[in-house]
Amino acid sequence: MMRKLALAATMVLAVGGAAQAQGINPIETRQTGLDLLAGTFAGVKAVITANGDVKSLEGPGKAIQRWGALFPSLFPAGSDKGNTKAAPAIWTDMAGFQKDAMALSTAGESLATAAKAGDATAVAAAFKGIGEACGACHKEYRLK
């Protein structure tokens, strides 16, 4: 059994090392993350709409918080070329873009905090804040 675990660990490290050596594709990574964010947002909305257990939304809130903080790092120079809807303003106004991304992160943190407390009213307000943060970013930093 230990031999199988060691072999599995070696395989994971080898595959991970190869992926790291190749680097990530920032466009694909941010598109995948945005798809996951959209699914998370829809799941949060479903719980709120159904008057479900808001405590279950702490994890999604934390995920949104982390995504908002990480998101700007996925826009390195040169990643404006290719299959992307990212507006040039991201690279010319990175400070503004980072501010909008942090608004999303903060709204996610508010969702997680409200969910942990079981406060449905605060969860609904945080959900609205997430939607507003997404909309503000799309308005300035996403091509139509």
Side-chain angles (χ1 to χ4, degrees):
M1 183 65 167
M2 290 301 287
R3 200 176 262 167
K4 287 181 181 179
L5 286 174
L7 179 61
T10 301
M11 295 292 287
V12 167
L13 290 173
V15 170
Q20 198 170 32
Q22 293 175 0
I24 63 165
N25 178 322
I27 295 172
E28 288 182 15
T29 302
R30 62 190 186 231
Q31 289 172 346
T32 300
L34 288 168
D35 288 346
L36 291 168
L37 176 63
T40 301
F41 188 78
V44 171
K45 181 179 181 181
V47 170
I48 292 170
T49 301
N51 293 315
D53 180 12
V54 296
K55 287 189 174 195
S56 69
L57 300 176
E58 182 181 3
K62 287 180 180 180
I64 292 168
Q65 176 187 11
R66 288 190 308 267
W67 175 252
L70 169 75
F71 192 49
S73 70
L74 297 173
F75 293 85
S79 68
D80 57 336
K81 309 288 187 267
N83 181 23
T84 181
K85 292 183 181 177
I90 290 173
W91 292 272
T92 60
D93 181 23
M94 183 55 78
F97 180 63
Q98 289 172 336
K99 181 181 173 190
D100 281 359
M102 283 311 299
L104 175 64
S105 181
T106 300
E109 180 181 20
S110 295
L111 175 64
T113 301
K116 184 175 183 177
D119 185 341
T121 302
V123 163
F127 176 75
K128 182 179 178 190
I130 291 167
E132 290 170 352
C134 289
C137 192
H138 283 194
K139 182 179 178 184
E140 296 294 323
Y141 302 108
R142 182 176 185 222
L143 297 175
K144 307 302 181 234

